[in-house]
Amino acid sequence: QVQLVESGGGLVQAGGSLRLSCAASGRTFSAYAMGWFRQAPGKERESVAAVSRSGGSTYYADSVKGRFTISRDNAKNTVYLQMNSLKPEDRAVYYCAAGATVIYRMAGSYECWGQGTQVTVSS
């Protein structure tokens, strides 16, 4: 398995940007597809974006398409989530996840999870 540590969360005004990072250690990072999920208070965890092992294929939830960009650097064992045009409804704890064989939007298909980083968007 891999160990995942997220960073980059914080407080930002609506319309602003943040870049989340997820650093992986342990097993071969490039063997895992990576996903970002989020969970707002009182709501279920939802998929945000995902990227294939090579980075050549990506997935985005409809709610973030055109605003968020997922990328990965296998040389640095890191996956990123660039979040632009943030909205108050983007407020949540954001988690990265890794899985050898995943269905991008299905949390249950990922094997390893980070502890999460809080994103707060003020209106």
Side-chain angles (χ1 to χ4, degrees), residues 5 13 21 36 38 42 69 73 85 88 106 113:
V5 179
Q13 288 187 334
S21 299
W36 284 97
R38 66 186 181 187
T69 303
D73 185 337
S85 302
M106 290 185 61
W113 291 82

Side-chain angles (χ1 to χ4, degrees), residues 22-74:
C22 174
S25 60
R27 297 287 298 273
T28 304
F29 178 67
S30 60
Y32 293 88
M34 300 296 296
W36 284 97
F37 291 77
R38 66 186 181 187
Q39 188 166 17
K43 295 188 177 181
E44 293 186 355
R45 190 171 297 191
E46 65 175 358
S47 175
V48 175
V51 63
S52 62
R53 297 178 185 84
S54 68
S57 176
T58 57
Y59 159 82
Y60 295 96
D62 287 343
S63 58
V64 305
K65 279 181 182 176
R67 300 190 297 123
F68 291 12
T69 303
I70 189 171
S71 61
R72 66 188 296 162
D73 185 337
N74 286 346

